[in-house]
Amino acid sequence: MTVTLSDEARQYIAAFEDATDATAVDCVVDDDHDRVVFVVKAGEMPQAIGRGGERVQHLEEQLGRDVELVEDAPSAEGFVAHALSPAAVYNVTISENDDTVAYAEVAHEDRGVAIGEDGKNIEMAKRLAKRHFDVDDIQLT
């Protein structure tokens, strides 16, 4: 799918890539939760985070917002699992009937992490999965 970025998102991607030497394939500015979510090229997550999270911390200071990272994946199943991280996701199944729904099997103790405060984590996962794989919904099982 083609992702359209705002000028603000493009500026954040430039700042991210300068600060981390990693590649961002997408950026969502979430003003409701004062955060920026970057989708990082598959395999570049350690580089993006830095030792002890130093690169992310530096970027947060530079942007004045929380920064969250999601690793890209070649499949919708892998992408949904990454988007729900750090929750332990055991399995993701995609069902394509009238709508495309990802059913994510999440550890019982991690359901709260997957959902997030006021649903912010699951909503961002849904938004990113829609943008990248045309997934209409994510259901936790």
Side-chain angles (χ1 to χ4, degrees), residues 32-81:
D32 292 340
H33 297 101
D34 197 30
R35 65 180 174 167
V36 181
V37 180
F38 294 97
V39 177
V40 179
K41 184 177 178 182
E44 294 187 12
M45 191 64 96
Q47 184 176 336
I49 295 168
R51 186 180 315 201
E54 67 187 15
R55 290 184 173 168
V56 171
Q57 290 170 359
H58 175 73
L59 189 60
E60 287 178 333
E61 290 168 9
Q62 182 181 347
L63 301 179
R65 292 175 174 254
D66 288 339
V67 170
E68 296 180 15
L69 306 177
V70 173
E71 187 169 12
D72 199 9
S75 69
E77 294 87 352
F79 190 85
V80 168

Side-chain angles (χ1 to χ4, degrees), residues 12-13 24 35 46 52-53 58 60 85 101 113 121 127-128:
Y12 282 138
I13 284 177
R35 65 180 174 167
H58 175 73
E60 287 178 333
S85 181
V101 179
V113 172
N121 295 346
R127 184 173 177 182
L128 290 170

Side-chain angles (χ1 to χ4, degrees), residues 5 15 25 33 36 40-41 51 61 66 68 71 86 89 91-92 98 109 113 122-123 127 130 133 137:
L5 297 171
V25 296
H33 297 101
V36 181
V40 179
K41 184 177 178 182
R51 186 180 315 201
E61 290 168 9
D66 288 339
E68 296 180 15
E71 187 169 12
V89 179
N91 187 39
V92 177
D98 292 335
E109 61 273 10
V113 172
I122 188 86
E123 289 306 316
R127 184 173 177 182
K130 179 69 174 173
F133 289 96
D137 195 16

Side-chain angles (χ1 to χ4, degrees), residues 99-121:
D99 290 334
T100 302
V101 179
Y103 294 95
E105 184 181 345
V106 176
H108 179 73
E109 61 273 10
D110 280 355
R111 287 182 66 83
V113 172
I115 295 168
E117 185 177 337
D118 296 325
K120 76 176 190 172
N121 295 346

